[in-house]
Amino acid sequence: MENLVNLTTQDGVAVITINNPPVNALSPGVPEGLVAALDAAQKDASVRAVVIIGGGRTFIAGADIKELELAASGRGSGPPEFHGILKSIEDCAKPVVMAIHGTALGGGNEVAMAGHYRVAVADAQIGQPEVNLGIIPGAEGTQRLPRLVGVQAAVDLCVSGKPIRAPEALKLGLIDRVMEGDLLTGAIAFAREIADQGGHPRKTRELYDKLGSEFVDASIFVAWRDQARKMRRNMLAPLKAVDAIEAAVNLPFDEGCQRERELFAECIASDQARALIHAFFAERAVAKIPDVPKDTPVYNIRSVAIIGAGTMGGGIAMACANAGLSVLLKDLDRAAVDRGLAIIRKNYENSVKKGRFSQEIMDQRMALIDGQLTYDGFEKADLIIEAAFESMELKKRIFGEIDKIAKADCVLASNTSTLDIDEIAAATSRPGMVVGLHFFSPANVMRLVEIVRGKATAKPVLATALALAKKLGKVGVVVGNCRGFVGNRMMLPYMREAQLLVEEGATPEQVDRALTNFGMAMGIFAVDDMGGIDLAYRVRQEYKHLEKPGVRMPLVLEKLIHLGRYGQKTGAGWYRYDENRKPVSDPEVHALIEKTAQEGGVERRHISDEEIIERCIYIMINEGAKILDEGYATRAADVDVIYLTGYGFPAYRGGPMWYADTVGLKKVRDRIRDFRAQHGEWWEPSPLLNKLADEGETFAAWDAAREQAPALV
Ligand code: 3H9
């Protein structure tokens, strides 16, 4: 315990330091250590004030999420209990100053708010991100936060889950001072100032000014709940957070805390909390590759050269410049380079207009990107990313060329979304240095990068790719080299099934509505229209060889192509689009679907939303299971992360494989068998799914059992 929390004194100020790396979570031992240290400080007559600070890189990043995971899964002895420590802090007779750097998140901010005063360095981040884990602040945060920042700001912070920086926290009244210079020195000086003023320490729970009138109009909370529903579709926790804040307004502090406890208990016992906590750890687990040790050396990437200034190349250039990397952006003719740079500039200008960052930052980022027609300077690049047109011949030629120019320790990456990375690597004399970096469009926004591991890809190259993804603020997931890799390989059967459903009697609108009600960010037909139906068609052509006799293929897509309906870019695809790109139903498409079904001898029938979800999602799950069986993904959780960060799968369902676990693998497999009987061998259950279903197991348990999994194929 004494290692987790240390107590020293400096000139009459007790300094309590939390040392629980890496993020000073409130793990068992930390609250107890804090209480003991406070007790000692209280008893020490030479101490006039107390400063609580985090050791290492941060203040307190919250409750220990591992403890919450235990509580959510019904293991352990229930959620952690912080009320005692909060009371000890707030009731301390000597002023307690919280000194914040790094992050004060969740329980971290709740501890900070129990202090009498808070100071922070300018880049400290403070917030209540609990909703991202499917829970609400459960350590009196919903009661103290509105007392400090007012009800509206408290709702915003708890519903959005987004942290704010210290200067904004100061404006809101969440902290008392932004510190320049050394935080501890400043906090000690501040604590002395307060002690010199004398008087009683200021207790947050006794502040009422910002709670408004004693009974804020209930209709305001109705409006905030509506807002929460819009911001966090289908999610329970944001609504419960509003309930808890309403209790802060309407109930005395202790009763409000009791209400918060009840609401917290409801949330932590929900499927949503389990799924979101799974997603939290899954996102961090992807960086761990069983045969690539943590200490694998990485190449230092400072400069990047990109081939192709189109949508992907431009987006990747922005992602790199945003992270402070210098970028050479090459294309074949001046017009293409200028167009690429102009789009980058426009995107940045939009961000400046929206207040996301300053003009100065935009100028710095633009200055990092140089457009050019030649390979000049490529010889110095630490990383070369090819983002040219999706053609094997072209890519092989490019890799042959860059192989001759690049320095020996330059990582060579292809942004291919479908092609064989081994074949591309074979065009070079150093296949070990070649890796796939499959960014998702728009690459400056989307968080996912599939890191495609070829047969020869060297471990330091993989470790470098993972480190780069993190540096770019993205989530890198290592996948094996199979057609479509993981994400697109699962997408294809999903798209196909959706198209079959409309031929059998559903409409694109019904399918999309069922999918968005399920929680998908977009319906699959809207996705098709956005990405371009020509692209979807081209991808399908790539997989033609997988089509087998007796397997019915949907036919409408091809007809849309013949009609020139390529999606949003031509103003029409599965939907028709107005000038604002808003989709509207198109009777022509409905007629085309019906005619196609008739020609194909498909009897149209009523299709329920339930069938839509089962067929679209289960086919995806089955493909995911095949991918795992074949070793193209390390864990089921990796597949989840790919779908959560790249394909708009609802986070509160934890990803497709986790969702399958929650439905029950036997139930999923049995429905897949039904569909196999009705629709043919396309629906053959994967051997892994069969095995786990028969054994009454889950993908999560399978992952856990394979902690030391063999390398990917
Ligand atoms: C809460 O507080 C509830 C309360 O209201 C009270 C309830 C009663 N616990 O992300 P990183 C681990 S809910 C346990 O790679 P970064 C993480 O798993 C909590 N472990 O670093 C990883 O482990 P590993 C509210 C945690 O620098 C390592 O730390 N708080 C926790 O990119 C490094 O993490 C949050 O939701 C934790 N709280 O980002 C904040 N946090 O190396 C959650 C991290 O073994 N945390 N770990 O894979 C974050 O958002 C980021 O971790 C943070 C650092 C921004 C802090």
Side-chain angles (χ1 to χ4, degrees):
M1 193 185 299
E2 58 193 29
N3 288 337
L4 290 175
V5 180
N6 290 329
L7 171 66
T8 55
T9 45
Q10 289 188 36
D11 299 332
V13 175
V15 176
I16 300 178
T17 309
I18 302 157
N19 286 311
N20 185 24
V23 295
N24 289 330
L26 295 166
S27 316
V30 174
E32 295 81 347
L34 277 169
V35 171
L38 267 172
D39 202 37
Q42 290 247 60
K43 285 183 185 142
D44 185 341
S46 71
V47 166
R48 300 169 61 218
V50 179
V51 167
I52 299 184
I53 193 166
R57 61 174 159 130
T58 187
F59 186 66
I60 303 171
D64 187 333
I65 302 173
K66 289 198 189 82
E67 297 289 308
L68 296 174
E69 188 180 35
L70 288 176
S73 61
R75 293 171 287 147
S77 52
E81 173 57 61
F82 299 124
H83 304 283
I85 166 71
L86 299 169
K87 196 164 161 30
S88 296
I89 297 171
E90 204 163 41
D91 286 346
C92 183
K94 299 172 184 178
V96 179
V97 176
M98 300 289 173
I100 302 170
H101 72 300
T103 54
L105 297 175
N109 188 39
E110 291 173 297
V111 166
M113 291 190 294
H116 305 128
Y117 304 92
R118 286 152 294 282
V119 297
V121 294
D123 66 352
Q125 296 196 53
I126 307 175
Q128 299 293 159
E130 286 89 342
V131 281
N132 298 327
L133 299 170
I135 54 175
I136 63 168
E140 303 172 0
T142 61
Q143 307 304 297
R144 284 199 180 83
L145 189 60
R147 284 172 160 79
L148 288 169
V149 302
V151 180
Q152 172 71 64
V155 170
D156 283 347
L157 285 164
C158 293
V159 169
S160 74
K162 287 195 185 125
I164 51 173
R165 300 256 173 205
E168 198 184 341
L170 179 69
K171 265 191 228 150
L172 288 175
L174 184 51
I175 63 169
D176 299 282
R177 197 172 287 177
V178 176
M179 287 292 175
E180 278 168 23
D182 180 62
L183 175 64
L184 182 58
T185 312
I188 292 174
F190 182 88
R192 271 209 218 97
E193 240 177 73
I194 297 288
D196 289 346
Q197 287 166 12
H200 293 293
R202 183 189 62 189
K203 296 183 184 179
T204 308
R205 69 168 185 255
E206 290 172 359
L207 303 176
Y208 286 93
D209 289 2
K210 290 197 174 172
L211 287 182
S213 65
E214 200 179 338
F215 295 96
V216 171
D217 187 350
S219 66
I220 294 177
F221 287 98
V222 173
W224 280 330
R225 276 186 200 94
D226 281 347
Q227 194 186 324
R229 272 188 205 98
K230 276 189 208 126
M231 273 172 84
R232 297 277 181 150
R233 201 153 42 94
N234 297 351
M235 280 188 62
L236 176 75
L239 298 173
K240 299 292 171 191
V242 178
D243 290 353
I245 293 169
E246 190 173 23
V249 173
N250 294 330
L251 297 174
F253 183 79
D254 287 338
E255 286 175 41
C257 290
Q258 181 53 36
R259 180 78 189 117
E260 181 196 84
R261 241 173 276 191
E262 291 158 9
L263 292 164
F264 180 88
E266 263 182 64
C267 291
I268 193 88
S270 68
D271 280 346
Q272 294 194 352
R274 277 187 286 277
L276 285 156
I277 291 172
H278 158 72
F280 177 85
F281 286 118
E283 232 183 67
R284 280 143 187 94
V286 291
K288 294 164 190 138
I289 306 303
D291 67 334
V292 180
K294 219 176 162 185
D295 57 359
T296 304
V298 292
Y299 298 101
N300 190 6
I301 307 289
R302 283 153 307 187
S303 60
V304 182
I306 300 171
I307 297 158
T311 312
M312 283 316 297
I316 297 168
M318 288 177 77
C320 293
N322 296 350
L325 304 175
S326 69
V327 179
L328 296 178
L329 187 59
K330 173 191 180 310
D331 212 314
L332 289 178
D333 58 69
R334 194 73 247 169
V337 173
D338 289 347
R339 201 167 43 242
L341 290 174
I343 292 171
I344 292 173
R345 177 171 292 282
K346 196 160 164 249
N347 286 337
Y348 278 145
E349 279 167 357
N350 282 340
S351 297
V352 172
K353 261 188 223 144
K354 287 182 185 153
R356 292 209 183 106
F357 46 77
S358 64
Q359 180 67 42
E360 193 190 346
I361 290 190
M362 165 174 162
D363 294 343
Q364 281 165 10
R365 291 179 182 179
M366 277 309 294
L368 284 169
I369 307 174
D370 275 330
Q372 60 185 51
L373 304 181
T374 65
Y375 282 125
D376 282 356
F378 274 51
E379 71 284 356
K380 291 195 201 107
D382 300 315
L383 166 69
I384 298 178
I385 305 177
E386 165 277 313
F389 184 70
E390 199 71 346
S391 142
M392 179 56 87
E393 207 183 316
L394 174 64
K395 292 192 192 254
K396 278 162 86 170
R397 202 186 70 223
I398 290 173
F399 272 77
E401 286 167 4
I402 57 179
D403 185 37
K404 294 195 188 87
I405 307 162
K407 58 181 182 173
D409 58 354
C410 175
V411 173
L412 308 182
S414 171
N415 179 51
T416 180
S417 54
T418 46
L419 300 176
D420 181 346
I421 198 75
D422 291 332
E423 199 177 334
I424 296 174
T428 73
S429 61
R430 43 175 138 177
M433 293 304 288
V434 178
V435 68
L437 285 181
H438 178 207
F439 287 85
F440 287 70
S441 187
N444 51 315
V445 177
M446 295 295 289
R447 291 176 68 222
L448 176 64
V449 183
E450 280 185 326
I451 298 172
V452 189
R453 180 178 194 170
K455 272 200 189 78
T457 308
K459 290 177 186 179
V461 172
L462 274 184
T464 303
L466 282 162
L468 175 80
K470 181 139 189 162
K471 186 163 193 174
L472 301 188
K474 301 199 179 290
V475 182
V477 185
V478 175
V479 297
N481 181 28
C482 60
R483 249 173 211 273
F485 313 127
V486 172
N488 285 347
R489 177 170 159 183
M490 287 166 69
M491 190 75 171
L492 193 79
Y494 168 34
M495 278 179 167
R496 173 185 179 276
E497 212 53 36
Q499 290 169 29
L500 288 176
L501 279 159
V502 296
E503 290 182 15
E504 288 169 32
T507 60
E509 292 80 356
Q510 187 198 356
V511 171
D512 278 0
R513 204 170 39 246
L515 289 167
T516 49
N517 286 344
F518 174 78
M520 298 300 290
M522 283 174 84
I524 188 69
F525 292 106
V527 169
D528 251 9
D529 276 357
M530 194 178 70
I533 286 184
D534 49 336
L535 190 79
Y537 182 66
R538 213 173 57 226
V539 172
R540 205 177 92 185
Q541 296 301 100
E542 294 252 0
Y543 292 85
K544 264 269 185 263
H545 66 289
L546 296 177
E547 294 172 12
K548 295 183 184 144
V551 174
R552 187 163 69 82
M553 291 308 290
L555 299 169
V556 179
L557 190 83
E558 204 160 338
K559 294 192 173 164
L560 292 175
I561 293 286
H562 291 315
L563 291 171
R565 298 181 67 116
Y566 290 177
Q568 284 192 17
K569 59 186 164 195
T570 57
W574 292 102
Y575 298 96
R576 184 162 285 288
Y577 292 86
D578 62 18
E579 61 282 3
N580 300 319
R581 296 210 162 182
K582 193 172 172 299
V584 282
S585 296
D586 191 343
E588 255 182 57
V589 171
H590 293 176
L592 183 72
I593 291 169
E594 279 167 33
K595 188 160 168 276
T596 309
Q598 205 179 25
E599 286 166 3
V602 180
E603 200 178 318
R604 284 172 62 80
R605 62 189 168 89
H606 168 76
I607 299 207
S608 69
D609 286 1
E610 192 188 0
E611 180 177 346
I612 291 172
I613 294 306
E614 284 180 342
R615 282 179 55 185
C616 288
I617 306 296
Y618 289 6
I619 196 82
M620 216 193 266
I621 292 167
N622 199 34
E623 196 65 30
K626 287 182 193 167
I627 288 170
L628 291 170
D629 232 352
E630 295 163 19
Y632 290 113
T634 312
R635 315 166 185 84
D638 287 25
V639 177
D640 287 336
V641 172
I642 288 173
Y643 263 74
L644 295 175
T645 54
Y647 291 84
F649 201 93
Y652 60 82
R653 295 195 191 273
M657 312 318 278
W658 180 267
Y659 173 67
D661 281 354
T662 56
V663 173
L665 294 191
K666 183 169 178 329
K667 190 170 163 204
V668 172
R669 191 274 313 271
D670 291 352
R671 276 307 274 155
I672 288 178
R673 278 186 176 161
D674 293 344
F675 293 138
R676 166 80 175 87
Q678 289 163 27
H679 302 287
E681 66 178 75
W682 190 271
W683 274 100
E684 185 63 32
S686 96
L688 177 64
L689 180 59
N690 261 333
K691 177 177 168 296
L692 296 177
D694 288 341
E695 290 168 355
E697 273 304 345
T698 59
F699 287 116
W702 184 77
D703 273 358
R706 293 174 78 251
E707 282 283 73
Q708 295 305 317
L712 293 160
V713 284

